[in-house]
Amino acid sequence: MIKISVIIVTLNCKQYIQKCLDSIISLKSKANIELIVVDGVSTDGTIDILERNTSIDKLVIEKDKGIYDAMNKGIQQVSGDYFIFIGADDEMLELPIKELELAHKENYMLVAGAVQLNDYIFKSFYSWRIHISNTVHHQSLFYSNNLNVKFNTEYRVFADFDLNQRYYKDGVKIKFIDNVISKYNEDGISSSGKYDMEFINIVRRNFGFNWSVLAKAYQKYQTYKFRR
């Protein structure tokens, strides 16, 4: 059986981290899971909870320069064949071992499933739309340990989108599956609109000015649609 590393990045998340951990620990009896937690030196009691959870295989507690710096630190701890990031306020619903074993045999570098967003199921996909919107949620994305994964830490909230775009451009081999991997909390900073320009700048850097104009127009359309 292949080994899957699950990485959680934490900072002052006492109120929901145990629920996230429990969702992963419940799957350990069915799969070979390496549970990695990287904490940015929480001060609200999160560390006490983490240290009590003996099912955590690797616990890193140290200051970081932001979430993607912490995620990069998590990658350095990985010993699994594939790894995935689950948000500290998210829940893992399924670990698709059979699908991952087949993808591993077929040498897929990425395996992307679906996420539950409230009452909506979002299925990851590749198409021209990745030029202007994030079509792959990292809470459903398994990265091969053979892939050199490193997030650009100059971005505060959309470095995973940047990486998705670059993998799309480079033709990295990806397998899409229907399994709903996690329940995603939409209340995070990436959903606030505060960093919309970061998103646009990533599109400009990866695909050029014209696509960035379209991405900005698409963002405005989405904002209008959901406010109606």
Side-chain angles (χ1 to χ4, degrees):
M1 182 182 291
I2 62 172
K3 184 177 183 179
I4 308 300
S5 299
V6 180
I7 305 171
I8 308 172
V9 171
T10 61
L11 181 64
N12 296 330
C13 51
K14 177 182 177 180
Q15 67 269 33
Y16 40 69
I17 183 58
Q18 189 61 58
K19 188 174 184 179
C20 176
L21 289 170
D22 288 344
S23 73
I24 299 164
I25 293 168
S26 68
L27 298 171
K28 271 202 162 195
S29 63
K30 306 172 185 176
N32 184 9
I33 298 176
E34 175 183 53
L35 180 51
I36 301 168
V37 181
V38 181
D39 185 87
V41 189
S42 295
T43 58
D44 69 338
T46 296
I47 292 175
D48 294 334
I49 295 172
L50 296 176
E51 291 179 335
R52 288 198 302 267
N53 277 267
T54 57
S55 292
I56 296 174
D57 299 292
K58 295 176 182 178
L59 176 59
V60 178
I61 302 173
E62 61 184 39
K63 289 285 187 181
D64 57 62
K65 299 176 183 177
I67 186 170
Y68 292 109
D69 182 41
M71 289 168 75
N72 284 338
K73 290 180 180 182
I75 294 170
Q76 294 173 5
Q77 300 295 320
V78 166
S79 64
D81 299 288
Y82 286 101
F83 60 92
I84 186 172
F85 294 95
I86 299 296
D89 54 351
D90 300 330
E91 296 175 57
M92 195 161 198
L93 303 178
E94 180 184 353
L95 198 55
I97 292 300
K98 290 182 180 179
E99 291 82 355
L100 289 168
E101 286 181 336
L102 180 59
H104 186 60
K105 290 178 182 177
E106 296 174 344
N107 200 33
Y108 280 97
M109 294 292 100
L110 301 167
V111 180
V115 296
Q116 180 180 335
L117 308 173
N118 295 322
D119 296 328
Y120 174 69
I121 301 299
F122 179 93
K123 293 185 178 182
S124 298
F125 63 96
Y126 267 178
S127 77
W128 65 268
R129 280 180 56 189
I130 200 171
H131 291 75
I132 60 173
S133 64
N134 198 3
T135 63
V136 181
H137 277 281
H138 76 254
Q139 289 89 349
S140 72
L141 182 60
F142 295 88
Y143 302 86
S144 169
N145 202 9
N146 294 323
L147 187 63
N148 183 23
V149 180
K150 187 174 183 180
F151 295 100
N152 186 340
T153 56
E154 74 176 85
Y155 299 127
R156 294 292 303 277
V157 299
F158 288 115
D160 55 313
F161 172 57
D162 168 61
L163 201 57
N164 289 340
Q165 284 199 329
R166 288 190 280 126
Y167 285 152
Y168 177 79
K169 284 175 61 178
D170 294 342
V172 174
K173 193 175 181 182
I174 184 170
K175 184 180 183 71
F176 293 100
I177 58 178
D178 292 330
N179 308 63
V180 182
I181 307 303
S182 65
K183 184 177 181 181
Y184 170 59
N185 184 348
E186 291 188 276
D187 295 331
I189 192 170
S190 63
S191 302
S192 68
K194 184 178 179 181
Y195 288 90
D196 283 356
M197 281 310 301
E198 178 179 286
F199 188 95
I200 300 303
N201 289 335
I202 288 170
V203 174
R204 181 183 295 113
R205 176 176 288 187
N206 289 325
F207 292 111
F209 175 76
N210 290 342
W211 280 112
S212 72
V213 173
L214 289 173
K216 189 172 184 178
Y218 182 74
Q219 278 188 341
K220 289 183 177 180
Y221 165 73
Q222 291 291 96
T223 301
Y224 169 75
K225 184 173 72 172
F226 286 112
R227 284 179 178 174
R228 292 183 62 183

